[in-house]
Amino acid sequence: VYQAESPDEGALVAAASNEDGSPEGFVYQAESPDEGALVAAASNEFGFQLLGRDSSGVHISCSCPSLLEDENIVEGMKDGTLTAKVLAGKTASNEVGENDITVDECCSPRKETWTILAVNKFDSDRKRMSVLVRSPPELGSVPMLFCKGADSAMMLDGVCEGVGLLEDLATSDVESDSEVQNAEFASLLGIQAHLGEFATEGLRTLVLGVKIMTEEKTEEWLAKYKDAATSIENRDKKLTAVAYEVETGLHIVGATAIEDKLQDGVPETISKLGKAGIKLWVLTGDKRETAIEIGYSTKVLSPKMHLTEVVDGPAQKVKTLIAMELMRHIKIGNLPAYQFSSLDHSEGSILKSIMWCFSVLGVWNRRCILAWNQFYLTQVKRMWLSKDNYKFEMEDLEEQREADKRKADPRVQRRKVRQLAREIIKEFWSDPNNAHLKKADDNDETSVVSDDPPAVFERAKSARESLQSRRGRKSSVEVPSAATIKKLALCNENIFDEEALSMRSYIPTSSTSKFDNRKRTIFERLFAVDKDVRHGQLVKHLNDDYNDALALDVEDQAGKEGIEEMLGVTEPGSPAHQTHFDPKSVRRGLILEGAALKHILNDPVLEEMLFAVASCSESVIACRVSPIQKALLLKMVRKYVEPTPTTLAIGDGANDVGMIQEAHVGIGISGLEGQQAVNSSDFAIAQFRYLEDLLLIHGRWNFMRMSKAVLFFFYKNAALVSTMMLYSVKCLHSGTTLYDSWVLSVFNFVGASLPVVFMAVFDRDLSRDYVMRNPEVYQSGPRKEYMSLRTFIRWVVICVVHVFTVYYFSAPPMQLGGGVTSAYKGLMGNFSSRRVVGDGEGGGIKIFGTTIFGNLVYVVTLKALLETRSIINGEFPTITCKKGKGEGWPSRMGYTWVGVSWFSVLFYIWFLYMYQLIGRSGPSSFFPFVFVTEHL
């Protein structure tokens, strides 16, 4: 709370006058928007207004009466006979005490000060936080524990009192006669129903709980809490342990739901990123239902996408679901590396044998490097490393050793993954309790069949049906039937899904290609970096029959299916043509729950099994995951996904810091969640939609520019050195330099410095508007079209051609006096009254080398012009000041032309002229260059 002015106590207790619920003269400012929304709602809707906080506690203004005004209730709370559970039951049955105080009464606002005794902060293991407070003296000074957290962390047996009651009633046909249990059960049903409704609307939910503490337990626990808080070693672990101890037996009092509005342009940005070939993973702490709804609203998930949900449950069911999904992907061909044909294939061609020998040498090389690193770390570097740093580096070294084992022979690890999957499935079917999930015609490895398809919101639906069934009854609190309870408890029993896999999908179908590979030119086969061009899949490569069919008139057009049928692409009238279903064409999404990951993590084989399944999914959503799990998931993506991808993490809150730091590129969104994510990131943006420009526009341009710059710097250095090597043959390798030392020193500036810098900063191969309309062009980067072995070889070949052309077209004409002119005519004529040294010369090493150097400069700068794309950027003319004309002249100017013409060629000519002028001033190291410029 930030105070604008100093109102008196009477003003503090006054009703709220601001939109955020704060009293006049104050403004609420929270660490997160969720906390601000909860405080504002408590003030505006329920009359509990936050006034401030100091060393004495939290000051609030309340307009409602309190049950703690009854002395009998206070005494019952202090001696432990009146718990929150009992008090809630009596409140529901209007038995609140002798004074019959009701919460519907209104009174004048009063100021209350609640003392804070201890705070158990949120951590990744508990997924909740709690605060131990003491009520004001006028309300009995009763110690209470208030707790909030996710439903997956609060609705647990041992944490929540009612969860055990639900399980007991679900396994028994006997209904409870206790009014307290009936009230608690009805309350939990209502909370579950509301949580489901909130989740279907995409709201972020929290569950609230309370626990009334006795004085003895409070003092005993506070002593443990102080010892843990003042501990020097393992303080966090000790604080977590004491928090687990006190956060038991909570009474759930309600739930909150907050709308987390999407920023503008989020669905469109995600859609374009998907078209660009970027695989998107969503890691969130929200409920599964909320995450799925947000996935649909943001276009991460599509209605036609098949969802595989890995939900919390017994370890056997979670592992079996992953194993069956793996076998399904293997059989439909999504994971060819795990098929028997790949795992058992040992024979190959001579080329494969040679490559295998190189791979073995690489394995031994990596092992030697790892052995040396381990020796250096354990015997040398350990002397100055701290204990924590040494432990961290040892863990990093162990991870490198595990990665090397997988790279040595990945088939060994894949065999283990497939064998474990088969063992898990076999063990699952051997359990008699799972026999009812299987039909007679099912494949044991790919399907577990249930009569009812799994529904994401079945639990909330059952809870609503149970509540509706109690309407109209006389009893204020009644328990649903045992059948309804069992349906509620077992609604997620059938967690496995069944997908019909056509056996025809395993049989290779004969088809006729639409393209004619013979139409490819020799240059397309050898030098094309685009795979579509190299493989002959352009329009000009279509076969003649298909091209003629496409050229038919509109009334004669048979449509795409008719043309394919006419040309034999599919067999007309066949059952495969009518009912063929390709499972590989099904778009898939994977939903992971954080609680289910505990059965998979820390097992390398199960982790690789999970990420093999995830690699076949277009979208992955991990819900109810802690900040540590977010970082672990991203780390395992880099560890198991092949080929190793470049990861990018984007977040806006403190719980995203670990994920942002673990990724190759971290992006923080500066917003209402604070600046923790921004401070830990590589880039900071204001809104999520700016990621579209950052990746598709600037990311693509920069990768293209840097690739050209790196290749060009290698090219120009190799060209310069190669001409000197060719000259060394003529001088019998005596070490005589071909170029003048001062001329050679200026090559990096005039030959390739500014032209390449301009190209690496301003070059654009495609305009911004075109890239935004066609985000598919971003795939040229991941396909390595700008930086690949084929591209590098092409530059090497061009460098060799240019070197031989420059040298052998320059050196032979100047041999045997070809570079000498008359001393008394033409450029070398003596027009002064006195003889000047240098007349009649022209065949020296300075003239010879500088001539070749000048030709090399022209070729290198011409190569820079050929590699740039700025000349075709925008509309003609490239420099214009007209408004609304393209992107404006600063973006459409031919910067490479400016760099080549002004800062390269013209500067080189000016340098040569100034060089020989300095030599005329007198004897110096510049003197041999006199008249060289005129001769050139």
Side-chain angles (χ1 to χ4, degrees):
V1 179
Y2 290 82
Q3 184 176 353
E5 54 186 15
S6 299
D8 54 9
E9 184 176 349
L12 289 175
V13 184
S17 59
N18 297 331
E19 295 182 359
D20 61 350
S22 61
E24 186 175 358
F26 287 75
V27 175
Y28 289 148
Q29 186 174 8
E31 292 184 359
S32 67
D34 294 1
E35 296 179 0
L38 292 175
V39 174
S43 176
N44 294 329
E45 302 296 334
F46 302 102
F48 292 88
Q49 188 178 69
L50 176 64
L51 301 178
R53 178 178 177 178
D54 52 26
S55 59
S56 61
V58 176
H59 307 288
I60 64 172
S61 173
C62 180
S63 303
C64 299
S66 174
L67 296 176
L68 298 179
E69 296 178 356
D70 190 334
E71 296 182 356
N72 296 329
I73 295 179
V74 172
E75 292 298 329
M77 290 181 175
K78 288 185 176 182
D79 58 21
T81 58
L82 188 60
T83 62
K85 174 181 177 180
V86 176
L87 185 61
K90 291 185 177 182
T91 304
S93 58
N94 295 327
E95 299 178 4
V96 294
E98 296 179 355
N99 298 331
D100 293 332
I101 302 176
T102 61
V103 295
D104 294 332
E105 299 178 3
C106 296
C107 59
S108 59
R110 66 180 184 277
K111 180 181 178 181
E112 299 178 359
T113 301
W114 291 70
T115 305
I116 297 178
L117 303 179
V119 176
N120 297 316
K121 297 182 179 180
F122 176 88
D123 59 53
S124 300
D125 297 330
R126 292 165 38 244
K127 297 182 182 179
R128 55 181 179 265
M129 69 171 298
S130 59
V131 56
L132 182 61
V133 299
R134 187 181 295 277
S135 63
E138 62 269 17
L139 297 181
S141 299
V142 180
M144 301 180 184
L145 181 73
F146 296 150
C147 185
K148 70 170 184 177
D151 59 337
S152 60
M154 298 289 290
M155 310 287 282
L156 296 176
D157 189 14
V159 178
C160 170
E161 295 178 339
V163 174
L165 175 64
L166 285 176
E167 295 179 354
D168 294 339
L169 293 178
T171 57
S172 175
D173 295 335
V174 180
E175 298 182 358
S176 175
D177 295 333
S178 173
E179 292 295 333
V180 175
Q181 290 184 351
N182 292 343
E184 184 178 11
F185 183 70
S187 176
L188 290 177
L189 280 178
I191 291 175
Q192 278 188 339
H194 289 140
L195 287 175
E197 293 175 358
F198 296 152
T200 55
E201 298 177 6
L203 304 180
R204 304 176 64 175
T205 59
L206 283 175
V207 176
L208 309 179
V210 64
K211 179 182 180 181
I212 300 175
M213 306 275 291
T214 61
E215 291 293 341
E216 295 78 7
K217 292 183 178 179
T218 301
E219 296 297 332
E220 180 182 356
W221 184 84
L222 282 177
K224 297 180 181 179
Y225 177 81
K226 292 179 181 179
D227 293 340
T230 56
S231 177
I232 298 178
E233 296 183 356
N234 299 325
R235 181 183 303 172
D236 294 337
K237 293 183 179 179
K238 293 180 180 179
L239 288 174
T240 302
V242 295
Y244 272 119
E245 181 180 349
V246 74
E247 292 173 350
T248 57
L250 298 176
H251 176 72
I252 305 301
V253 297
T256 64
I258 299 176
E259 182 182 6
D260 191 5
K261 293 184 178 180
L262 293 176
Q263 296 179 351
D264 296 336
V266 172
E268 293 77 9
T269 301
I270 292 178
S271 177
K272 288 186 178 181
L273 293 180
K275 293 179 180 179
I278 299 175
K279 186 172 292 187
L280 188 66
W281 288 40
V282 179
L283 310 181
T284 178
D286 294 332
K287 285 174 60 66
R288 177 163 51 100
E289 297 87 346
T290 305
I292 293 176
E293 288 297 325
I294 294 177
Y296 282 119
S297 62
T298 57
K299 296 184 179 180
V300 175
L301 304 176
S302 63
K304 296 182 179 180
M305 185 177 293
H306 169 77
L307 298 183
T308 301
E309 301 180 24
V310 183
V311 300
D312 185 21
Q316 184 187 30
K317 290 188 176 181
V318 174
K319 295 178 182 179
T320 305
L321 175 58
I322 298 297
M324 289 183 175
E325 193 67 16
L326 176 73
M327 299 305 299
R328 177 181 290 111
H329 284 294
I330 292 175
K331 293 193 173 184
I332 64 180
N334 288 338
L335 293 172
Y338 290 86
Q339 294 178 347
F340 285 126
S341 58
S342 299
L343 297 178
D344 299 335
H345 183 70
S346 58
E347 298 180 358
S349 61
I350 299 178
L351 180 60
K352 291 184 178 180
S353 301
I354 296 175
M355 297 301 296
W356 180 81
C357 293
F358 281 108
S359 64
V360 172
L361 293 176
V363 170
W364 281 104
N365 182 36
R366 291 192 300 268
R367 289 181 179 178
C368 293
I369 294 175
L370 289 175
W372 164 253
N373 292 339
Q374 184 177 4
F375 171 79
Y376 180 74
L377 178 61
T378 56
Q379 303 299 328
V380 180
K381 197 174 181 180
R382 185 178 183 179
M383 292 187 293
W384 63 78
L385 285 178
S386 63
K387 185 177 180 180
D388 294 337
N389 291 338
Y390 176 75
K391 181 180 179 181
F392 174 77
E393 294 204 10
M394 283 297 295
E395 293 177 355
D396 186 38
L397 189 63
E398 187 65 26
E399 291 179 359
Q400 294 180 12
R401 187 178 290 107
E402 293 180 0
D404 181 69
K405 291 180 181 179
R406 292 194 304 270
K407 291 180 179 179
D409 191 357
R411 293 181 299 176
V412 176
Q413 186 70 8
R414 291 167 185 166
R415 289 193 192 101
K416 293 181 180 179
V417 172
R418 177 157 183 162
Q419 182 63 26
L420 179 61
R422 296 174 67 92
E423 292 176 357
I424 292 174
I425 297 172
K426 183 178 180 180
E427 181 182 356
F428 179 82
W429 287 123
S430 62
D431 189 353
N433 297 327
N434 302 324
H436 67 284
L437 300 175
K438 183 176 181 296
K439 289 183 179 180
D441 55 349
D442 283 336
N443 189 330
D444 291 348
E445 295 182 348
T446 57
S447 294
V448 177
V449 180
S450 60
D451 295 332
D452 299 326
V456 177
F457 311 111
E458 186 68 23
R459 184 177 295 275
K461 180 180 179 181
S462 301
R464 288 195 299 269
E465 293 177 356
S466 177
L467 290 177
Q468 292 176 358
S469 65
R470 298 191 299 108
R471 293 182 178 178
R473 299 185 181 182
K474 296 180 180 181
S475 176
S476 59
V477 179
E478 294 187 7
V479 180
S481 62
T484 305
I485 297 175
K486 290 181 179 179
K487 182 179 180 182
L488 174 63
L490 303 176
C491 62
N492 285 334
E493 182 72 13
N494 299 323
I495 62 172
F496 301 111
D497 64 288
E498 178 190 11
E499 181 178 335
L501 299 178
S502 174
M503 294 304 296
R504 296 183 182 273
S505 62
Y506 302 114
I507 304 175
T509 57
S510 59
S511 60
T512 303
S513 176
K514 307 174 187 177
F515 302 98
D516 187 359
N517 292 333
R518 294 174 298 179
K519 291 187 176 183
R520 294 180 299 168
T521 63
I522 186 63
F523 293 101
E524 291 176 345
R525 297 181 183 183
L526 296 179
F527 301 106
V529 295
D530 192 340
K531 292 183 178 180
D532 293 335
V533 178
R534 190 165 63 251
H535 296 164
Q537 296 180 357
L538 300 181
V539 175
K540 66 177 183 178
H541 300 137
L542 290 172
N543 58 46
D544 297 334
D545 295 336
Y546 195 87
N547 207 6
D548 294 340
L550 290 176
L552 294 176
D553 295 334
V554 178
E555 55 271 13
D556 297 333
Q557 185 81 12
K560 180 180 178 181
E561 296 180 357
I563 294 174
E564 293 178 351
E565 179 177 333
M566 177 179 61
L567 299 176
V569 176
T570 58
E571 187 177 356
S574 63
H577 177 69
Q578 298 174 358
T579 62
H580 174 68
F581 169 72
D582 185 8
K584 295 179 65 175
S585 63
V586 177
R587 302 180 60 191
R588 295 179 179 273
L590 182 64
I591 311 297
L592 299 173
E593 261 192 3
L597 292 176
K598 63 183 179 182
H599 305 303
I600 300 174
L601 300 181
N602 300 324
D603 188 335
V605 181
L606 288 176
E607 289 176 355
E608 184 167 350
M609 186 185 303
L610 172 63
F611 279 87
V613 175
S615 63
C616 300
S617 305
E618 292 189 13
S619 301
V620 179
I621 296 180
C623 53
R624 284 304 187 205
V625 290
S626 61
I628 294 180
Q629 287 178 326
K630 291 182 180 180
L632 288 176
L633 284 173
L634 197 145
K635 185 177 182 179
M636 286 188 291
V637 169
R638 299 173 57 179
K639 182 178 180 181
Y640 292 109
V641 177
E642 295 292 342
T644 302
T646 300
T647 57
L648 181 147
I650 180 171
D652 61 349
N655 55 351
D656 301 321
V657 171
M659 174 184 64
I660 291 175
Q661 293 178 341
E662 187 65 34
H664 292 96
V665 180
I667 298 179
I669 301 178
S670 58
L672 301 177
E673 295 287 347
Q675 297 295 318
Q676 293 91 335
V678 172
N679 296 335
S680 304
S681 62
D682 302 312
F683 301 92
I685 58 178
Q687 294 187 22
F688 184 84
R689 60 188 177 94
Y690 296 155
L691 184 64
E692 183 179 354
D693 288 345
L694 184 64
L695 289 179
L696 303 185
I697 303 298
H698 301 289
R700 183 182 175 279
W701 280 346
N702 288 338
F703 182 73
M704 179 265 297
R705 294 164 179 169
M706 290 296 100
S707 299
K708 290 183 179 180
V710 170
L711 293 172
F712 199 92
F713 280 121
F714 279 107
Y715 159 81
K716 60 98 176 176
N717 290 328
L720 178 66
V721 175
S722 298
T723 54
M724 300 173 66
M725 293 175 62
L726 293 177
Y727 175 73
S728 65
V729 178
K730 298 295 183 180
C731 66
L732 301 179
H733 303 282
S734 61
T736 305
T737 58
L738 175 62
Y739 306 127
D740 181 79
S741 58
W742 284 100
V743 174
L744 182 64
S745 63
V746 81
F747 176 76
N748 284 331
F749 183 81
V750 302
S753 179
L754 286 180
V756 180
V757 169
F758 280 19
M759 179 179 63
V761 174
F762 301 108
D763 192 21
R764 302 182 180 184
D765 57 346
L766 297 174
S767 64
R768 178 191 299 265
D769 295 337
Y770 184 86
V771 176
M772 298 300 288
R773 293 193 307 267
N774 303 276
E776 295 83 1
V777 298
Y778 179 83
Q779 298 182 16
S780 59
R783 289 180 179 178
K784 301 180 180 180
E785 295 181 2
Y786 299 112
M787 180 70 73
S788 62
L789 180 60
R790 180 181 294 270
T791 305
F792 182 77
I793 293 176
R794 187 176 66 177
W795 277 77
V796 170
V797 173
I798 293 176
C799 178
V800 172
V801 173
H802 287 178
V803 168
F804 278 89
T805 302
V806 169
Y807 185 82
Y808 287 106
F809 275 78
S810 302
M814 291 188 294
Q815 295 178 358
L816 302 176
V820 180
T821 62
S822 173
Y824 303 100
K825 294 182 180 180
L827 294 175
M828 298 302 295
N830 183 12
F831 301 103
S832 61
S833 59
R834 59 186 180 88
R835 187 173 184 83
V836 181
V837 178
D839 267 349
E841 298 181 0
I845 186 63
K846 299 294 184 182
I847 302 297
F848 182 80
T850 308
T851 302
I852 299 177
F853 184 85
N855 294 336
L856 182 63
V857 169
Y858 299 145
V859 171
V860 170
T861 52
L862 180 61
K863 176 65 175 174
L865 283 178
L866 294 176
E867 290 296 329
T868 186
R869 300 295 184 269
S870 297
I871 187 175
I872 61 172
N873 186 50
E875 299 178 3
F876 182 82
T878 56
I879 301 178
T880 179
C881 296
K882 294 183 179 179
K883 295 183 178 180
K885 189 78 170 179
E887 300 175 4
W889 69 269
S891 298
R892 296 164 49 228
M893 179 178 175
Y895 291 96
T896 310
W897 281 100
V898 176
V900 168
S901 59
W902 289 92
F903 296 102
S904 183
V905 177
L906 293 181
F907 180 83
Y908 174 65
I909 297 174
W910 175 83
F911 167 77
L912 294 179
Y913 180 74
M914 296 300 298
Y915 189 11
Q916 63 94 21
L917 284 182
I918 296 175
R920 292 182 179 182
S921 61
S924 64
S925 60
F926 303 97
F927 185 76
F929 209 80
V930 174
F931 280 110
V932 172
T933 305
E934 282 81 352
H935 182 76
L936 292 176

